[in-house]
Amino acid sequence: MIEVRHSASPSSVETATNADLRKNFLVDRLFRTGEVRGVYTHDDRLIVGGAVPGAGRLELPAWDVLGTSSHLARRELGIVNVGQSGHVLVNDEKFELRHLDGLFVGRGNEVVFAGADAAFYFVSAPAHASYPTALLSHAAIEPVKLGTAQGASERSLYRYAWGQELQTSVLQFGVTVIADGSVWNTFPPHLHDRRTEVYMYVDLDDKDRVFHLMGQPGAARHLVVRDREAVISPPWSIHSGVGTGSYAFIWAMGGENNDYTDLQPVALEDL
């Protein structure tokens, strides 16, 4: 199952209804046992998806929208396990992934998901070259500490693929974990003129939500997001959020520039 999203004008967001915002930018219902589901966005042609194998195995589909016989014929892939331990087969080579472990898979490979209690989130992007598969252990990555307790924004940034150390064509992704007692992520916000970014929110309690800020500076809107729901942020949109409880989020980007620091800060007075 794949849904196609078309690009939206930034001016249309200012007058959109909440239902329109959710239809165009919120990604939900990705995780269903025994299925692989995805959303294809024309913003940098990213695909975000979820695979929940249950008792069986699931192949990464070559959906018709791709126009290829294999999903990764012209793409590369980032995977993060948001469930319990499972494994991914890449050309029959087995990679074990625990909770929040990641995997990068280069162009030209075949991928199969397995694990009764696993839930795999993935993002794929067009790739001009093929790079080696790499297991990205959450526990082995030294996080970058950001924010302050006074600003309720303490968080740990785990960079899995970010333009250094691990080579990719365009894909960058990682995990940010909000510290206990903090609520803000990525605040003040910023823009990426040359990249689309997707935030997938995970590890929220059923009763909690994240209020995700989006839109152009000076005309921001918000979406109320549950556990295992994502928001697509086109290059013209800020991306920031505040939660009602503890949470983490998976960030993934694709576009014409893979310099991690290539961004435009937005000052609070411009919001």
Side-chain angles (χ1 to χ4, degrees), residues 19-194:
D20 288 336
L21 291 177
R22 295 179 71 84
K23 179 180 179 181
N24 289 325
F25 301 103
L26 183 73
V27 179
D28 59 359
R29 299 188 294 274
L30 282 183
F31 300 94
R32 294 290 184 271
T33 302
E35 297 183 25
V36 182
R37 294 188 169 203
V39 170
Y40 177 101
T41 172
H42 281 277
D43 290 304
D44 285 306
R45 301 190 181 278
L46 294 180
I47 288 180
V48 297
V52 185
R57 292 184 173 186
L58 295 172
E59 296 182 359
L60 180 66
W63 286 298
D64 290 344
V65 67
L66 296 176
T68 57
S69 60
S70 170
H71 189 112
L72 297 184
R74 297 195 296 260
R75 287 178 163 262
E76 58 189 5
L77 182 74
I79 302 169
V80 177
N81 184 6
V82 300
Q84 301 307 308
S85 294
H87 63 269
V88 177
L89 298 172
V90 180
N91 296 341
D92 294 326
E93 182 178 359
K94 187 176 181 179
F95 295 88
E96 295 283 351
L97 273 71
R98 294 169 294 180
H99 183 65
L100 294 186
D101 282 351
L103 185 71
F104 169 77
V105 184
R107 192 181 74 173
N109 292 292
E110 298 295 333
V111 172
V112 176
F113 302 98
D117 298 313
F120 299 100
Y121 172 66
F122 62 85
V123 180
S124 73
H128 66 274
S130 181
Y131 296 106
T133 298
L135 181 64
L136 304 159
S137 169
H138 182 75
I141 294 173
E142 185 69 27
V144 178
K145 299 295 185 179
L146 300 171
T148 65
Q150 294 86 345
S153 60
E154 280 190 307
R155 57 199 188 274
S156 297
L157 172 69
Y158 295 82
R159 297 180 293 193
Y160 290 3
W162 56 290
Q164 297 185 31
E165 299 176 9
L166 175 65
Q167 192 168 13
T168 68
S169 289
V170 300
L171 189 62
Q172 296 185 36
F173 69 101
V175 177
T176 298
V177 179
I178 310 302
D180 288 342
S182 284
V183 293
W184 282 100
N185 70 68
T186 324
F187 196 80
H190 56 257
L191 299 169
H192 297 290
D193 280 342
R194 287 164 287 279

Side-chain angles (χ1 to χ4, degrees), residues 246-269:
S246 63
Y247 66 99
F249 68 96
I250 302 162
W251 46 270
M253 298 180 281
E256 67 174 348
N257 192 309
N258 61 3
D259 179 358
Y260 181 76
T261 60
D262 178 30
L263 54 83
Q264 297 77 47
V266 177
L268 291 182
E269 56 266 27

